[in-house]
Structures are given as structure tokens and as C-alpha cells.
Amino acid sequence: MGRRQGSLESVEGLSTPISWQDRPTLVTGATGLVGSWLVRRLVEAGADVVCLVRDWVPQSEIARSGQLGKVKVVRGDISDQAVLERALGEYEVQTVFHLAAQTIVGIANRNPVSTFEANIRGTWALLEACRRSPKIQQIVVASSDKAYGDQEKLPYDEETPLQGKHPYDVSKSCSDLIAQTYAHSYALPVVVTRCGNFYGGGDLNWNRIVPGTIRSIVRGDRPVIRSDGTYVRDYFYVEDGAHAYMTLAAALARDPSIRGKAYNFSNEIQVTVIQLVTKILALMGSNLVPDVRGEASNEIVHQYLSARRAREELAWKPLFTLDQGLKRTVDWYRQFLTEQTN
């Protein structure tokens, strides 16, 4: 999915002022699900990538694929502003992708402070460091559809109020608003992405529905659904996410007037948890019956996004359907789990 080295990131064929070749680019959250695929795409495009890494996870996709050997690695925590300022300054970073976050809803419910530290404090620490770094030209901050909280009107568009109520949702609402503050009050070149539930190869949080379901099926166990199975989500393939982030950075380079704007990225379909699990079971040729437990709490019941702004203003569209993304995901986990048992 990479572009030819040195090429200009384009929006439906229109060249933009951003060339990734040798471009000093910082990725926070590089060892996470989306970060690892974004780093791969940036490296393939020829960027000079700097990754902020807190924990060493040898099974992570970025380590497993060998991408860490192709980038500069800064060890540190996203909430450490001094480390961020040093990295931005010494590597003369021009473009920043801020993906670092605590992303698990259950962990946020049990340990809200660690989630607030990473997601809220981490965002202001990064943006303040960027404000003090004169080389910065584009910053893409990863928010989430959870920033909207629970809404009666669906689908969510970018004018929908940010009103998270539970710990994870609140952390994303706050970080999203902080990004907008730095754009509007300090003219920092920030744009925000709000995506649905990411899935794809490399997600090692086994309590998430996609990796957990696939691992259970491979092991011959019934896949567990924590909710009652009727929760509706907006599932978004990880390689589409990486492409969307780079597309938005290129759009900001071409048109600085979009500073401070948020963009939803989505396949714009509504899928219940039970429908998703059923699709995975069919893809894997399994006749196992899901174990529906109805235990989920502090979670939004029904949400999905409108990506109309991204389609119309950025000429963006997803590269993969849900079925295509799920097939690539199943293939990744089959190989990964086979390697782990050999």
C-alpha cells in the first residue's frame, strides 16, 4: 500500500506541497495498532521517521515487521514535555502524527487517572512542545468517534457536540478540544481525525472484539461477546486509517486554512457486534457459537460516523470494504498465532 519513494502525497491525483521523501516526521504511539501501519507507510514513502516509544513490546507489529530498525527511536512517555521538545528540536521535525493514547475502554473504566494522564496531559504536552518548535508545519491529532459521547442524532458529523461522559470518552473529548484550542489560540497547524473502531493485524489487545474473536476461533474456543451483541459500531480498517492520516497531513500542507478542523473517517456502515463476530466466523469456516455475556458497562450503545466532509473536501474514500479488511486481518492473525506456537 506504499507510494513510490519521493512521490507527493496526492488527493485524487492533485499534487500537494508535501513530499515525504526525507521529511522529518514524528509518530507518537508508533507501537500501537494504527501507529505501526502508519510508520510502515511513511517509511515506504521515504520519510525520515522518528518514533516515540514508551514500552518495548516485541510482539508488536512495528517490532515484528522490522520497521523499528528503519526509524529513529526516542524512548519516553507522551506526557514528558521535555522529552518531546528535545525530540522535535534535535531531529528538526516538520510533521507530527499524534496517536499515543490509552485506548482500551475497560482499562479507562478501572484506571481513569492513567487514561487521563496519557490522553489529556499527553496531548497538551505534545502540542505545547510543538508550539515551542519553529520547524513544525503540520500536526495530525488522532481523536475518536468516542469524543462525541452518546448522541440521539445519528450519524455523527463534525458539528456534533463533543460530550463524552465515561472516562475514555471524556479523555477523547478533552484531547480533541485541547487540539482545537492550540489551533485557534496559537495558530498551531493542527487538524483532528475522528475515526471509528479500528481493527486490523497487529492489535494485541485480546479483549477487543476482532483479535479476541479470531484467537478464540483459532484455538477452538467459543468467541466471547462482553455486551449483549446488539451494540452498533463503526469499524474502520487500520490501513485505511494510516492512509487517512497521511491524506489529511497533505491536505493541511496544501491548504493551511483547514487548521483547527476535524474530519471523520469511516466506511459509513452500521454493524452490530454479533454481526461482526458472525462475519469472522464465516470467514474462518467455523461453526462455533458466540458466548454472549451481557457484561459490558459504561459504553455507548449505538454510534456511527458520517465521512461526508472528508469525501467532499479531501476527495477521500476508504481503500477497503469491511469484508476485505476482515479477510486481511484474519490472514494476519493466522500467521501471527502460528508463529507464536512454533
Side-chain angles (χ1 to χ4, degrees), residues 225-229 291-297:
I225 296 177
R226 292 183 300 108
S227 69
D228 63 5
D291 177 5
V292 182
R293 297 186 176 177
E295 298 171 345
S297 63

Side-chain angles (χ1 to χ4, degrees), residues 219-234:
R219 292 177 172 178
D221 299 329
R222 295 173 63 191
V224 172
I225 296 177
R226 292 183 300 108
S227 69
D228 63 5
T230 64
Y231 286 17
V232 174
R233 290 291 181 267
D234 195 331

Side-chain angles (χ1 to χ4, degrees), residues 113-276:
V113 173
S114 68
T115 300
F116 295 157
E117 284 281 343
N119 298 4
I120 303 175
R121 182 185 180 89
T123 298
W124 88 55
L126 174 72
L127 294 177
E128 183 63 15
C130 288
R131 189 169 75 93
R132 297 166 179 263
S133 303
K135 293 280 188 178
I136 299 297
Q137 297 175 12
Q138 298 90 28
I139 307 161
V140 177
V141 171
S143 181
S144 166
D145 57 353
K146 306 300 181 295
Y148 292 117
D150 205 350
Q151 304 277 348
E152 292 184 6
K153 180 183 176 183
L154 294 168
Y156 305 165
D157 62 27
E158 291 83 355
E159 303 308 315
T160 302
L162 304 183
Q163 57 179 39
K165 291 183 173 63
H166 304 303
Y168 179 73
D169 310 342
V170 166
S171 77
K172 300 310 286 187
S173 299
C174 291
S175 62
D176 196 314
L177 289 168
I178 288 167
Q180 295 179 58
T181 292
Y182 272 84
H184 296 298
S185 298
Y186 304 109
L188 206 64
V190 184
V191 283
V192 175
T193 67
R194 298 174 187 153
C195 301
N197 283 30
F198 279 113
Y199 72 93
D203 187 353
L204 301 182
N205 293 303
W206 301 107
N207 59 347
R208 282 198 182 128
I209 192 65
V210 173
T213 296
I214 295 172
R215 185 173 71 168
S216 294
I217 295 169
V218 167
R219 292 177 172 178
D221 299 329
R222 295 173 63 191
V224 172
I225 296 177
R226 292 183 300 108
S227 69
D228 63 5
T230 64
Y231 286 17
V232 174
R233 290 291 181 267
D234 195 331
Y235 294 98
F236 193 49
Y237 183 51
V238 64
E239 292 188 68
D240 272 322
H243 173 244
Y245 291 153
M246 289 179 68
T247 298
L248 187 52
L252 179 59
R254 187 182 76 252
D255 181 9
S257 71
I258 69 172
R259 182 189 76 223
K261 292 187 75 170
Y263 289 85
N264 291 342
F265 293 98
S266 165
N267 284 64
E268 299 182 286
I269 57 174
Q270 302 179 68
V271 181
T272 66
V273 174
I274 193 69
Q275 286 173 334
L276 185 74

Side-chain angles (χ1 to χ4, degrees), residues 30-41:
T31 58
L33 172 59
V34 188
S36 60
W37 289 97
L38 176 60
V39 169
R40 179 194 292 267
R41 190 177 181 90

Side-chain angles (χ1 to χ4, degrees), residues 61-71:
E61 173 61 13
I62 192 171
R64 178 176 170 273
S65 65
Q67 295 298 318
L68 274 180
K70 302 175 182 179
V71 303

